[in-house]
Amino acid sequence: MFLGTSAKIAWRELRSAPSKFLFVVLAVAVGVGALSGVKGFGLAFKSMLLRNAKQLIAADLQAQTWAGPTDEQVRKVTEIGKRAGTFTQVTETVSMAGSANSRVPQMVSVKAIDPTVYPLYGQLSVTPQKSLCELLKPDTALVNPELMLRLRVKPGDAIRLGGHTYTIAGSLDTEPDRLASGFGPGMRVLVSREGLARSGLIQFGSRAAQRFLFRLNPGVNVDRLTSEIKASLPRSFISDYRDGDPAVGKGIDNATIFLSLVSLVALIVGSLGVAMAMYSHLQQKMDTIAIMKAVGARSKQIMQIYLLQTLWLGIAGGIIGVAIGAIVQKSFPVLIQRVFAMLPEVTFDWSFSLQGMCLGVLATLLFTVPPLLSIRGIRPSLVFRRDMPEAKKRWRERLSEAGSSVIVAALILAGFGLITVWLSDSWKMGAYFIAGLAASLLILSLAARGLLRSMRAIVRLSGTRLPSVFRHGFANLYRPGNQAGSVLAALGIGVMFTLTTYLLQRTILREVQTEGPGRSGNVFLLDVQASQRDGLFALVQSEPGVSGKVSLIGYVIGRLFDKNGTPVAQLPITQERKDNLQTSRLTMAAGRPEEVEIVKGKWWDPNDPRPAMAIAEEQERFYGFRYHDRLRYQIAGKMVEFPVVAVFRRSARTPVRYDLLVSSASMKGMPAVYVGSARVDPKSVPVIEEAVFEKFPTVTVMNLAEILRRVQEAVDQVALVIRFLAAFAILAGIIILSASVAGSRYRRIREVAVLKTLGATKGRITSIFSIEFSILGAVAGFIGGLLANIFSKIITERFVEASFDFDWISILAVTVLTALLANLAGWLASARILDQRPLEVLRGE
């Protein structure tokens, strides 16, 4: 019966001050917009992958590996494929291609197929329109138009690949499984498997991706078949038509999880803004609530009024958020169109938009539970005397209320924990996120309490010695009815999450740049055999335009047999990491490299032929290797036991990433492969490429300037999306502060009137408020900056597996910026108060 009356009262209050509730609507809209946009795009991309799954991988199921499979593994997988249906193998690698018409060779992505079977699904678009069996012979190739343009060739002309000549049989226009490629960058050359064997590109240690494609007979159990393939080919990524491509799908999943967490940040910060706005609103309506209780209204009925208000505001913000999410969802393909050659068919998902809106409303209700429950404790007799000392609650009453507050806080954290798990599909991530949120709220609450006590002590001890402007500004923080503690906590959370987003983004970008192959050179030499090492070094070093010394680092491939006598299968690490130890790259070194810093132990004697190993710090964390361990490896059929004599740390100047260093003297006679880098004047790079291709056609020369530019473009696009969502978090933080200060506007009106009556000028009042805003902003910024660095370090080390350096400059910057932001937002909400006349305000009292 009271529901209709509650709705009328709630609607009248909303109509009376629409601008005040605009903050609530915007806060909800920001969170819902970020959620529905990011998650909606991720689902649209995945649904596109599923709709075209068989064409995207050219099979029902595929197993992909970058570790060279043994002949026995290939035999087992072939038997499984023939028993389950139709089977074919695709090999992909990179090389250099040249022609008689162009002196500058080009880096190409070589793909070898069986033309009688491939593709199992979908169609290749080729010119002329003939079957692959007609076009692909051992001495012919299909190339894409871009390569023909760069090499100045046409169908019928010849190109050189791996030191052999191939006739161009036609143009390769499109491939159904281009996104599933192991080596996506670079121009494509399609050859038969016989043609690849003829080229000599695949040798021991060569980098190549092997894809085993299966077209299944009706009734085949896909899950059972997957387990069987995994047992035969341990180090492989397996996907089927239900999952889409493993490389693309995994990348999209990781990106969606990260962006979803950023959108969750926006939702949490926006929800805090809603809670602050509703708390401020209830503080202003305390007299109204007291009067309603005095005339017989029950707490449950009054709570119903403000619950309806919150629900309506949440729905209104959700509707606007859905519209924002649609714009975000449509913008993503444009933002990342240079990353993916094929744009996803983004369709607006109304069902997910509804879910995002429900999440926004749920988050809003969760954070408004505490101020709504506070209505039960409002007593008319105490409200009208609320600023008097005898009206303050006793400690026992406050303690009993604290118990219910803890329960409510636990429910809020549990609710957001479930939302986090739903967004990230990870209980671990949800647990870390909620633990971080709870710890941050606790620390900020304690900091707020400490700040208020400090301000009270400073005012009491300094007396009249403190300038009046500062004395009033400090006292404003702990005056009756002030919400400084709540504002500081909410603003600090906003600063923490916003800065965390920036720090994580910067860390990931730095990892991409420092872990890439171009840290000490812009030309990279791959697949160099031991017999080619000295000649290649002398050739490149003598070329004009080469600055500094050419770096050539050798490595051997080994399989870890046991550690301190314990077989790999019994080591206390994950199965994935056990699989990784089956093919380990052991980098050879004589003396200690300049870029290496010894953390434990000492380096070996370069002339000592006894085996010795140094491990990177990461190996301790990932695989449990320790100083003084004895690791036994099988290398080229021989068993070699390496004592771990040193633990090292790499610097950003390391030309090639290595984790396991072994003494060169102990590796004599072992089949080694070398990689190298050189710093070359960009104008001289084509000359180097031509010279190396002429004498060492199987060596791959990468012009890293071009590769790094492409990588950087992709990174920039992803960073653009991250910054795009970070803007939501920043906007939500501004909304929180504005809502909080706007909520205190009601009490500031009377305060300004009294100060003006006592003779205070507009400039003095402005100074008082500015000091209050600056202290709140600076403290919130400083603590939020500290928490952001701690939170970023945990996430980086636990999930990104990268190093993070504590950034004190960011803390200083965010402290100053938050103080300025507090003043800006505070005065935007409070400027009109200064123009009101004292007599008008006091008469209203």
Side-chain angles (χ1 to χ4, degrees), residues 679-748:
R679 173 66 62 181
V680 182
D681 184 347
K683 296 179 181 178
S684 301
V685 171
V687 178
I688 300 289
E689 291 177 326
E690 182 182 358
V692 172
F693 184 70
E694 186 69 31
K695 291 190 177 181
F696 304 97
T698 60
V699 173
T700 300
V701 181
M702 277 188 169
N703 183 351
L704 291 182
E706 177 66 18
I707 297 298
L708 292 178
R709 183 186 64 81
R710 294 182 182 180
V711 172
Q712 191 60 50
E713 283 184 358
V715 170
D716 288 344
Q717 297 302 307
V718 175
L720 180 60
V721 175
I722 295 173
R723 293 187 185 103
F724 187 56
L725 288 180
F728 279 110
I730 295 171
L731 176 61
I734 295 174
I735 291 171
I736 286 176
L737 182 60
S738 301
S740 304
V741 178
S744 65
R745 180 176 179 272
Y746 177 77
R747 292 191 174 274
R748 293 183 190 278

Side-chain angles (χ1 to χ4, degrees), residues 82-104:
K82 290 181 178 179
R83 189 172 66 247
T86 307
F87 167 83
T88 187
Q89 182 179 355
V90 176
T91 303
E92 296 175 84
T93 186
V94 291
S95 183
M96 304 297 290
S99 74
N101 301 332
S102 175
R103 296 183 58 83
V104 180

Side-chain angles (χ1 to χ4, degrees), residues 804-819:
F804 178 83
D805 298 325
F806 214 80
D807 190 349
W808 290 102
I809 296 179
S810 69
I811 297 174
L812 177 62
V814 82
T815 300
V816 176
L817 290 175
T818 308

Side-chain angles (χ1 to χ4, degrees), residues 406-621:
V406 170
I407 294 174
V408 170
L411 290 175
I412 293 173
L413 290 175
F416 269 100
L418 292 175
I419 293 174
T420 307
V421 171
W422 180 81
L423 282 173
S424 63
D425 294 325
S426 169
W427 285 97
K428 182 180 178 182
M429 177 67 81
Y432 271 95
F433 199 90
I434 294 306
L437 177 62
S440 301
L441 285 172
L442 178 62
I443 293 171
L444 285 165
S445 298
L446 293 175
R449 185 180 293 273
L451 173 65
L452 299 184
R453 290 189 175 182
S454 300
M455 293 298 100
R456 191 187 297 272
I458 290 173
V459 172
R460 185 179 65 252
L461 295 175
S462 62
T464 56
R465 294 191 301 274
L466 193 68
S468 61
V469 172
F470 285 92
R471 189 165 62 250
H472 283 292
F474 293 166
N476 265 8
L477 292 169
Y478 60 83
R479 69 180 181 279
N482 191 280
Q483 302 157 24
S486 302
V487 174
L488 191 147
L491 184 58
I493 289 292
V495 170
M496 183 191 79
F497 281 127
T498 303
L499 183 59
T500 297
T501 301
Y502 167 75
L503 292 175
L504 287 177
Q505 168 195 295
R506 192 187 64 178
T507 300
I508 292 171
L509 293 180
R510 185 187 64 196
E511 284 295 311
V512 170
Q513 293 167 353
T514 59
E515 295 298 331
R519 285 167 291 181
S520 65
N522 57 358
V523 170
F524 205 53
L525 308 169
L526 304 177
D527 302 332
V528 182
Q529 301 301 313
S531 59
Q532 301 170 326
R533 176 176 178 265
D534 295 337
L536 181 66
F537 178 86
L539 172 66
V540 177
Q541 194 71 60
S542 64
E543 289 292 329
V546 177
S547 58
K549 187 176 180 181
V550 177
S551 172
L552 280 173
I553 298 176
Y555 64 89
V556 296
I557 302 297
R559 178 173 72 90
L560 182 66
F561 197 77
D562 61 48
K563 184 184 82 168
N564 300 326
T566 303
V568 173
Q570 299 177 17
L571 295 180
I573 56 178
T574 64
Q575 185 60 45
E576 181 181 356
R577 286 179 175 165
K578 290 178 183 177
D579 294 340
N580 291 340
L581 294 175
Q582 299 304 302
T583 308
S584 299
R585 177 177 290 188
L586 309 179
T587 305
M588 299 186 302
R592 181 178 67 84
E594 295 179 359
E595 304 85 7
V596 162
E597 175 188 351
I598 300 297
V599 178
K600 298 176 186 175
K602 63 178 182 179
W603 208 256
W604 52 78
D605 182 353
N607 299 317
D608 191 344
R610 291 178 298 178
M613 175 179 284
I615 63 173
E617 285 182 312
E618 292 83 358
Q619 298 296 301
E620 291 185 307
R621 186 166 71 249

Side-chain angles (χ1 to χ4, degrees), residues 215-531:
R215 184 169 60 196
L216 308 180
N217 292 329
V220 173
N221 187 310
V222 177
D223 295 327
R224 186 182 305 165
L225 182 66
T226 299
S227 301
E228 195 174 351
I229 297 171
K230 190 67 176 177
S232 301
L233 199 64
R235 295 196 63 190
S236 62
F237 297 95
I238 301 176
S239 65
D240 56 53
Y241 63 91
R242 300 170 301 180
D243 303 323
D245 164 66
V248 175
K250 190 172 185 296
I252 287 295
D253 283 342
N254 290 338
T256 303
I257 288 173
F258 181 75
L259 295 177
S260 295
L261 287 178
V262 177
S263 64
L264 178 66
V265 167
L267 180 64
I268 288 180
V269 176
S271 301
L272 281 171
V274 171
M276 288 300 303
M278 291 307 297
Y279 179 77
S280 302
H281 177 56
L282 291 177
Q283 289 293 311
Q284 294 179 32
K285 294 297 180 181
M286 196 173 287
D287 290 343
T288 303
I289 294 171
I291 292 172
M292 285 193 287
K293 283 194 171 185
V295 297
R298 298 177 180 177
S299 295
K300 185 186 297 185
Q301 295 171 325
I302 300 173
M303 288 171 64
Q304 193 178 83
I305 294 172
Y306 294 102
L307 183 63
L308 283 174
Q309 277 189 0
T310 304
L311 188 61
W312 290 344
L313 293 170
I315 292 174
I319 293 172
I320 298 174
V322 167
I324 295 173
I327 297 173
V328 173
Q329 187 174 331
K330 292 292 185 181
S331 300
F332 268 15
V334 177
L335 291 174
I336 63 172
Q337 62 182 338
R338 283 185 287 177
V339 181
F340 300 104
M342 182 172 60
L343 290 180
E345 301 167 14
V346 177
T347 56
F348 192 71
D349 191 342
W350 285 104
S351 63
F352 184 79
S353 297
L354 181 61
Q355 294 176 40
M357 184 168 148
C358 291
L359 278 179
V361 174
L362 174 62
T364 302
L365 292 176
L366 280 174
F367 266 117
T368 51
V369 166
L372 287 176
L373 290 179
S374 67
I375 292 175
R376 298 176 305 167
I378 296 178
R379 301 176 186 175
S381 59
L382 292 179
V383 166
F384 298 129
R385 297 182 293 113
R386 58 179 173 267
D387 292 338
M388 299 180 182
E390 64 271 15
K392 305 300 180 185
K393 295 180 181 180
R394 298 178 180 178
W395 68 270
R396 290 182 179 177
E397 293 178 333
R398 294 199 299 270
L399 186 62
S400 63
E401 290 180 0
S404 61
S405 299
V406 170
I407 294 174
V408 170
L411 290 175
I412 293 173
L413 290 175
F416 269 100
L418 292 175
I419 293 174
T420 307
V421 171
W422 180 81
L423 282 173
S424 63
D425 294 325
S426 169
W427 285 97
K428 182 180 178 182
M429 177 67 81
Y432 271 95
F433 199 90
I434 294 306
L437 177 62
S440 301
L441 285 172
L442 178 62
I443 293 171
L444 285 165
S445 298
L446 293 175
R449 185 180 293 273
L451 173 65
L452 299 184
R453 290 189 175 182
S454 300
M455 293 298 100
R456 191 187 297 272
I458 290 173
V459 172
R460 185 179 65 252
L461 295 175
S462 62
T464 56
R465 294 191 301 274
L466 193 68
S468 61
V469 172
F470 285 92
R471 189 165 62 250
H472 283 292
F474 293 166
N476 265 8
L477 292 169
Y478 60 83
R479 69 180 181 279
N482 191 280
Q483 302 157 24
S486 302
V487 174
L488 191 147
L491 184 58
I493 289 292
V495 170
M496 183 191 79
F497 281 127
T498 303
L499 183 59
T500 297
T501 301
Y502 167 75
L503 292 175
L504 287 177
Q505 168 195 295
R506 192 187 64 178
T507 300
I508 292 171
L509 293 180
R510 185 187 64 196
E511 284 295 311
V512 170
Q513 293 167 353
T514 59
E515 295 298 331
R519 285 167 291 181
S520 65
N522 57 358
V523 170
F524 205 53
L525 308 169
L526 304 177
D527 302 332
V528 182
Q529 301 301 313
S531 59

